[in-house]
Amino acid sequence: MSGIVEFVEKSHLEEQGKLTFKYAYEFLNGKCPAHFASRSIMLSGDTGIGKTYLAEKLMGSSDGWTIVVGGASRLKGNNVRRCETVKEVVSALKSTDKAAVLIDDIDYIMEKDEMDYKFEDKKWLMELLEEVKARPDAFLLVTANSSSLDAALFDRFESKIDAELPSDSEKRQYLLNNYSGYIDPVLLEQLACLSFGYNFRDLAEVARMAYRNGS
């Protein structure tokens, strides 16, 4: 079983979201027909809960695809093309065969006019969604801190996944992966179990504070 599939199975996503990611991975690796995979996914949730990490893990497992990246993600690789605007993303997708698009934090790439996204950017996002829908060799994953899109645009995504705060097991794994060389694993276990409502950024800051305080 792939590392991304194992990671998703242990994640805090609800069961339908886990299945969506599983079949997205299988589609990107030639194991699921385009007709049966969700090829445009909106992943939303609070900041710091690992949306970018999950999205990059999925994209990084996509051998043979060109990854078109827009937004805050710093995904790197010989097969990665970076774009600064939604218009550039659409242009890159249209000129590329077998392209998987990652827009990390939609607010990072779509401009707002007061509280609403600008019409021009909404028009380009609509075109992006339609291009993905029309092509069996295209895929789109968008992360957002909130689903603030117009209902008509939001509904165009084939799957919408709400990510929640990490579980104790996810917090434990995150802490062990990043701090086991510096902090007693017993203390990391306690932090994972006793922290309530903490996201990954909160946990990292607690570890830093403990180090700076000498405890």
Side-chain angles (χ1 to χ4, degrees), residues 87-172:
K87 181 179 179 180
E88 287 181 23
V89 171
V90 173
S91 177
L93 175 60
K94 287 187 173 183
S95 63
T96 306
D97 295 331
K98 205 174 182 183
V101 177
L102 169 60
I103 295 180
D104 182 38
D105 190 351
I106 199 168
D107 286 340
Y108 193 97
I109 197 171
M110 287 184 64
E111 292 188 48
K112 283 188 175 181
D113 187 4
E114 295 183 354
M115 298 300 292
D116 194 15
Y117 294 114
K118 289 188 175 180
F119 174 77
E120 188 74 8
D121 277 353
K122 290 196 289 186
K123 183 184 76 172
W124 285 115
L125 180 60
M126 179 70 80
E127 185 161 344
L128 176 63
L129 286 160
E130 288 301 311
E131 179 72 10
V132 170
K133 182 179 179 180
R135 286 175 44 184
D137 69 335
F139 178 82
L140 171 64
L141 176 59
V142 175
T143 73
N145 293 331
S146 61
S147 53
S148 54
L149 286 174
D150 294 349
L153 270 173
F154 186 65
D155 189 58
R156 295 274 177 166
F157 285 86
E158 293 181 338
S159 287
K160 301 92 173 173
I161 302 173
D162 291 322
E164 300 176 352
L165 288 166
S167 64
D168 286 354
S169 62
E170 286 178 292
K171 290 188 288 185
R172 182 184 302 109

Side-chain angles (χ1 to χ4, degrees), residues 20-21 24 38-43 139-142 157 159 161:
T20 296
F21 262 90
S38 296
R39 293 186 295 106
S40 59
I41 300 171
M42 168 67 77
L43 177 62
F139 178 82
L140 171 64
L141 176 59
V142 175
F157 285 86
S159 287
I161 302 173

Side-chain angles (χ1 to χ4, degrees), residues 15 18 25 58 76 86 90 105 121 165:
E15 288 305 313
K18 291 178 181 179
Y25 166 79
L58 177 64
K76 296 179 180 179
V86 186
V90 173
D105 190 351
D121 277 353
L165 288 166

Side-chain angles (χ1 to χ4, degrees), residues 32-56:
C32 177
H35 293 297
F36 298 107
S38 296
R39 293 186 295 106
S40 59
I41 300 171
M42 168 67 77
L43 177 62
S44 59
D46 290 337
T47 58
I49 60 175
K51 299 187 301 296
T52 297
Y53 181 75
L54 185 60
E56 289 181 343

